Amino acid sequence: MPQERNWNFDEVIYREGTNAIKWDQVFMKEHFKIDGDLLPLWVADMDFRAPKALLDALKKRVEHGVFGYSLPGDTYHKAVIDWFQRRHNWTIEKDWLLFAPGVVPAIQFIIQTYTIPGDKIIIQEPVYYPFKSSIQENGRIVLNNQLVIKDSHYEIDFKDLEEKCKTPRAKMLILCSPHNPVARVWTKEELTKLGKICNKHNILVIADEIHCDLIFPGHTHVPYATISKKFADNSITCTAPSKTFNTAGLKTSNTIISNKLLREKLAITMQNVSIRSPGIFGGLALETVYNECEDWLDDLLVYLKSNFDFLVKYVEEKMPEVKVFDLEGTYLAWVDFRALGLDPKKLDEIIKKEARVGLDDGAMFGELGSGFQRFNLACPKSILEEALERILNALDSHIK
Ligand SMILES: Cc1ncc(COP(=O)(O)O)c(C=O)c1O
């Protein structure tokens, strides 16, 4: 039964005191090394209430009252398979799915399974910072195939990628598709070029596609593994409903691996740490959102786009030197403040200490992110507006 479209993305929901990382002032104080209250537009979760169908399903399960050991069941796998068929035209088989309690844990297990300490892993900075930390925490070495800005958007430096792939002990590439934080939705041509280089040099591709459902008009997400059998055979795709439906706290993700040999290796790693299936609520949430909440997502995308348009207009009118990169996918806007001529550390300090807005400093995503800031647009427009006003006022006294 379709749910009533009665959600209100403008509603401000008070999240402090709910152990929400994004809004926890003590956590932020440690994370940003800044005292005092911040208006948070940083970590990638949304300030919106989850779809009503999900709330109803969870309530019903709570009322049942018995929460013993559980199995995901065929309906869980079917929900994933149907979602990727419907939304991404990707035909997945049940056996290809391996559960993980999050994409970052999956990436950690993948690194441990297919590489050994001292091996090299390619990433493309500026990129989601846990890629680098996961590699380093596991004693592997980062090779950075930096993205380049061309014609006002980011592109892959294929020549450098080939060099990185040829490096002795280079074993793996972690692809961010769509790309956080630069908001690119890679085209089929770009992915094909990347994949051919990786396959030629025997580099295993880990496609982190957690943002794959957050795509704006004019762009299409191409699942890496759908490009060809060769690509599927030499890749692992990481997925989750968590960015799409704001269920990150329910810790449910799936890796998709069609290559049996690859899959069996990862399955052993997971078994060795007793990770087999989702918890009751995570599993139920996945089934409910994938099966029943597409209309919520469609409306969410319209709201996110209107927040992005609001940001662009505000910046154009009031801070014309600042450049907002196009938002092809994700709800994370990448904003270039370099033309203001401020030292990047000073810029970050002004935003956090004076404006009291919690943005992710671009430098966290790699050296090339210095002077940039990442805005999380998944909030009521009133919060975004307040953040922009605070930033504008704080910058005012520093700009000639
Ligand atoms: C590219 C990317 N991968 C993974 C994650 C986090 O995944 P999880 O919460 O499932 O560990 C994020 C969250 O922002 C992300 O942007």
Side-chain angles (χ1 to χ4, degrees):
M1 254 247 302
Q3 50 183 339
E4 255 179 79
R5 291 173 103 110
N6 57 359
W7 32 84
N8 175 12
F9 297 117
D10 280 326
E11 185 189 354
V12 176
I13 299 172
Y14 191 71
R15 295 183 66 194
E16 285 186 52
T18 64
N19 293 336
I21 285 182
K22 191 179 184 183
W23 284 85
D24 191 290
Q25 296 296 342
V26 177
F27 188 90
M28 271 193 279
K29 192 171 153 183
E30 257 177 40
H31 182 73
F32 292 127
K33 314 273 178 281
I34 300 267
D35 251 338
D37 280 4
L38 291 178
L39 183 66
L41 285 82
W42 64 291
V43 68
D45 79 17
M46 307 201 245
D47 293 328
F48 306 131
R49 181 171 289 118
K52 182 158 184 311
L54 171 57
L55 303 181
D56 289 345
L58 293 177
K59 277 184 208 155
K60 193 166 161 218
R61 187 64 186 84
V62 167
E63 273 158 23
H64 180 257
V66 184
F67 311 116
Y69 291 117
S70 69
L71 281 171
D74 280 347
T75 49
Y76 174 90
H77 300 104
K78 186 172 176 337
V80 180
I81 291 166
D82 290 352
W83 180 262
F84 282 95
Q85 187 69 63
R86 241 182 10 254
R87 297 288 299 194
H88 299 289
N89 202 19
W90 184 8
T91 308
I92 293 168
E93 291 176 19
K94 181 186 164 193
D95 290 347
W96 300 359
L97 298 173
L98 277 184
F99 166 78
V103 167
V104 173
I107 288 173
Q108 297 260 2
F109 291 132
I110 288 166
I111 291 171
Q112 290 160 12
T113 304
Y114 306 102
T115 65
I116 57 169
D119 279 348
K120 296 180 179 148
I121 301 178
I122 304 167
I123 58 173
Q124 298 175 305
E125 287 185 346
V127 76
Y128 180 56
Y129 41 84
F131 286 3
K132 184 177 185 173
S133 55
S134 300
I135 294 168
Q136 292 174 336
E137 280 158 15
N138 283 289
R140 279 64 165 174
I141 294 162
V142 171
L143 286 178
N144 183 14
N145 167 229
Q146 291 189 140
L147 299 178
V148 287
I149 300 178
K150 256 194 216 158
D151 304 329
S152 298
H153 78 166
Y154 281 83
E155 293 189 1
I156 295 168
D157 181 344
F158 289 106
K159 197 160 166 276
D160 178 69
L161 174 63
E162 180 126 36
E163 289 309 311
K164 294 288 186 304
C165 290
K166 283 188 205 159
T167 310
R169 295 195 67 179
K171 295 281 160 60
M172 179 182 281
L173 173 139
I174 308 178
L175 171 73
C176 197
S177 177
H179 193 103
N180 167 15
V182 307
R184 276 296 318 279
V185 174
W186 302 116
T187 62
K188 188 171 182 185
E189 289 67 35
E190 288 171 310
L191 293 171
T192 304
K193 217 164 155 181
L194 176 141
K196 281 187 176 161
I197 295 171
C198 289
N199 285 353
K200 181 170 147 198
H201 298 285
N202 215 9
I203 301 292
L204 179 64
V205 175
I206 312 308
D208 176 343
E209 302 191 359
I210 196 167
H211 294 278
C212 68
D213 301 312
L214 300 158
I215 308 292
F216 296 101
H219 302 278
T220 306
H221 170 73
V222 178
Y224 180 82
T226 61
I227 293 176
S228 73
K229 175 150 187 341
K230 268 195 185 159
F231 281 34
D233 279 347
N234 187 40
S235 68
I236 293 176
T237 304
C238 300
T239 70
S242 54
K243 294 290 155 219
T244 318
F245 294 103
N246 207 26
T247 55
L250 294 172
K251 299 279 172 206
T252 303
S253 83
N254 293 292
T255 53
I256 305 174
I257 318 174
S258 60
N259 178 329
K260 190 165 181 278
L261 279 178
L262 277 183
R263 192 171 63 240
E264 283 174 354
K265 276 192 170 176
L266 186 60
I268 290 170
T269 306
M270 303 295 218
Q271 272 159 27
N272 288 345
V273 286
S274 295
I275 291 178
R276 288 191 179 82
S277 55
I280 292 173
F281 294 108
L284 175 61
L286 176 142
E287 284 187 41
T288 311
V289 292
Y290 276 172
N291 288 338
E292 297 175 41
C293 299
E294 233 165 319
D295 46 4
W296 183 92
L297 171 60
D298 292 338
D299 290 353
L300 170 79
L301 288 169
V302 173
Y303 193 86
L304 293 174
K305 178 70 170 60
S306 77
N307 271 1
F308 179 69
D309 292 343
F310 180 83
L311 169 76
V312 171
K313 193 160 176 277
Y314 191 99
V315 168
E316 264 170 19
E317 282 173 7
K318 305 198 173 153
M319 311 179 219
E321 301 87 356
V322 174
K323 180 178 163 27
V324 181
F325 279 74
D326 194 16
L327 189 77
E328 298 179 358
T330 82
Y331 48 69
L332 305 162
W334 187 237
V335 182
D336 182 358
F337 287 83
R338 290 174 304 171
L340 295 180
L342 294 164
D343 171 72
K345 283 206 176 86
K346 181 74 192 162
L347 167 77
D348 193 52
E349 203 180 288
I350 295 168
I351 289 177
K352 298 212 171 71
K353 283 198 177 156
E354 295 181 32
R356 311 220 67 81
V357 177
L359 300 182
D360 266 332
D361 180 12
M364 296 179 76
F365 302 90
E367 233 175 277
L368 281 191
S370 265
F372 292 73
Q373 295 277 327
R374 191 189 74 171
F375 283 71
N376 179 344
L377 301 172
C379 59
K381 205 167 268 90
S382 58
I383 291 185
L384 175 62
E385 187 171 10
E386 182 175 342
L388 287 166
E389 270 168 20
R390 288 188 189 193
I391 292 170
L392 180 70
N393 289 337
L395 284 174
D396 214 31
S397 56
H398 295 276
I399 301 160
K400 296 127 241 153

